């Protein structure tokens, strides 16, 4: 166990997931984590379900934390930053998962010497299988970055990228689970249409996506090569792939990522 003291601003699902990952991996002790969450329903849930220390208002314990983890919606980030300013100290590492909000917004509030780490996680963090990307301000040293990486590795994998690519990450892996769920839903609907029960079709569709992803990651092969392994000349897979090409699924996915990326850029603007 380490002696990290962490304040998590935002007790939503992602804030909850990060708290659980932090405790599970021993990054910090449960008693050294404080959560700020104004919604009474979430406050009660986090206290009863996970024995977390949850507060509805900002207080002096924030100043004692060495890590401030900001896990709120981008629409309320400005009021959160104003509230935190009175409790911030320059030794703290500020980690934000607010989608689309650039590091510069934090530096404007906390000063140019502030240590800011910007992260884009995704919802599979809820089960410890997230895909996150991370960048930081110039003031973040190697030790600080190592701490941030360790924290997010407690809930999945992490990639370091320049901030100029964070909106692209948001469009791809940040929003990506929704695209995958929609694909699973479509596979399941198709399975029902050709005779399977709903439960059977959903289980088969979900396991197919899970297993295919795991195979790609474990082998390190390119998707094209793995696709060829499934495809026999004149076989069933060829027929299915031809139907997907007619529907231009590749272009639709690319358009989805671009649209989400552009929306992330809009959210980052004041």
């Amino acid at each position: 166990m380490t002696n990290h003291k962490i304040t998590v601003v935002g007790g939503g699902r992602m804030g909850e997931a990060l708290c659980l990952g932090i405790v599970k991996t021993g990054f910090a002790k449960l008693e050294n984590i404080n959560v700020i969450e104004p919604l009474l329903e979430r406050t009660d849930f986090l206290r009863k379900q996970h024995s977390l220390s949850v507060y509805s208002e900002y207080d002096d314990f924030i100043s004692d934390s060495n890590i401030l983890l900001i896990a709120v919606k981008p629409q309320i980030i400005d009021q959160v930053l104003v509230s935190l300013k009175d409790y911030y100290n320059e030794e703290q590492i500020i980690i934000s998962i607010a989608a689309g909000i650039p590091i510069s917004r934090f530096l404007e509030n906390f000063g140019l010497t502030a240590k800011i780490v910007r992260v884009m996680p995704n919802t599979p963090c809820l089960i410890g299988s997230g895909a996150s990307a991370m960048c930081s301000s110039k003031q973040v040293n190697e030790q600080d970055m190592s701490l941030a990486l360790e924290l997010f590795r407690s809930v999945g994998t992490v990639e370091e990228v320049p901030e100029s690519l964070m909106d692209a990450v948001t469009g791809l892996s940040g929003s990506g689970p929704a695209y995958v769920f929609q694909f699973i839903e479509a596979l399941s609907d198709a399975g029902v249409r050709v005779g399977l029960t709903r439960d059977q079709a959903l289980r088969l569709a979900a396991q197919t996506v899970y297993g295919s992803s795991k195979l790609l990651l474990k082998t390190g092969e390119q998707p094209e090569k793995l696709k060829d392994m499934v495809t026999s000349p004149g076989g069933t897979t060829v027929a299915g792939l031809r139907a997907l090409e007619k529907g231009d699924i590749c272009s639709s996915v690319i358009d989805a990522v671009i649209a989400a990326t552009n929306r992330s850029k809009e959210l980052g603007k004041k």
Side-chain angles (χ1 to χ4, degrees):
M1 283 284 187
T2 65
N3 293 318
H4 297 304
K5 292 185 178 181
I6 303 173
T7 294
V8 180
V9 184
R13 296 297 300 278
M14 194 63 73
E16 175 190 356
L18 291 168
C19 288
L20 297 182
I22 287 167
V23 173
K24 183 178 180 180
T25 58
F27 183 84
K29 297 178 182 179
L30 179 65
E31 58 265 32
N32 286 340
I33 301 172
N34 291 311
V35 181
I36 299 173
E37 173 53 55
L39 294 179
L40 182 60
E41 182 179 349
R42 285 298 295 174
T43 296
D44 289 343
F45 172 81
L46 294 171
R47 286 172 178 165
K48 294 175 182 177
Q49 189 71 20
H50 305 305
S51 300
L52 286 163
S53 299
V54 190
Y55 304 87
S56 60
E57 297 180 354
Y58 299 82
D59 210 332
D60 290 338
F61 61 79
I62 299 173
S63 300
D64 295 330
S65 304
N66 65 305
I67 296 175
L68 296 182
L69 178 56
I70 301 177
V72 300
K73 299 293 185 184
Q75 291 83 358
I76 65 168
I77 191 67
D78 287 325
Q79 68 186 70
V80 168
L81 294 184
V82 170
S83 298
L84 283 172
K85 192 171 183 178
D86 291 337
Y87 301 98
Y88 161 73
N89 74 68
E90 291 188 357
E91 298 302 314
Q92 291 172 326
I93 304 171
I94 299 174
I95 302 176
S96 167
I97 65 170
I101 306 301
I103 289 172
S104 60
R105 188 85 69 87
F106 294 87
L107 295 178
E108 289 171 8
N109 188 78
F110 297 112
L112 297 178
T113 60
K115 297 186 285 188
I116 312 297
V117 178
R118 178 182 171 187
V119 186
M120 186 64 239
N122 63 10
T123 53
C125 285
L126 299 172
I127 57 166
S129 296
S132 303
M134 181 180 295
C135 63
S136 66
S137 64
K138 294 179 181 179
Q139 292 74 20
V140 174
N141 60 36
E142 187 175 336
Q143 183 178 2
D144 297 331
M145 196 63 169
S146 179
L147 280 179
L149 287 167
E150 184 183 352
L151 192 160
F152 279 86
R153 283 173 181 151
S154 72
V155 290
T157 62
V158 189
E159 298 285 339
E160 290 187 67
V161 302
E163 188 174 25
S164 60
L165 293 178
M166 287 297 285
D167 291 315
V169 168
T170 303
L172 176 59
S173 56
S175 300
Y179 316 150
V180 175
F181 294 140
Q182 187 162 356
F183 179 66
I184 291 173
E185 184 180 34
L187 276 180
S188 176
D189 289 344
V192 172
R193 190 164 183 177
V194 294
L196 295 167
T197 67
R198 171 62 65 185
D199 288 344
Q200 287 175 329
L202 185 56
R203 284 194 298 270
L204 287 168
Q207 183 63 33
T208 297
V209 171
Y210 170 75
S212 300
S213 299
K214 193 172 182 179
L215 179 63
L216 186 148
L217 290 171
K218 191 165 186 178
T219 62
E221 296 287 359
Q222 292 297 311
E224 183 179 5
K225 185 173 181 179
L226 293 175
K227 184 176 70 174
D228 289 344
M229 288 171 56
V230 188
T231 308
S232 302
T236 59
T237 306
V238 168
L241 287 171
R242 186 165 178 240
L244 287 176
E245 290 168 359
K246 284 184 177 179
D248 208 3
I249 186 173
C250 292
S251 292
S252 295
V253 172
I254 291 170
D255 288 345
V257 172
I258 291 172
T261 299
N262 289 337
R263 178 55 180 155
S264 178
K265 291 177 180 178
E266 291 174 2
L267 289 172
K269 297 175 182 177
K270 287 189 176 180

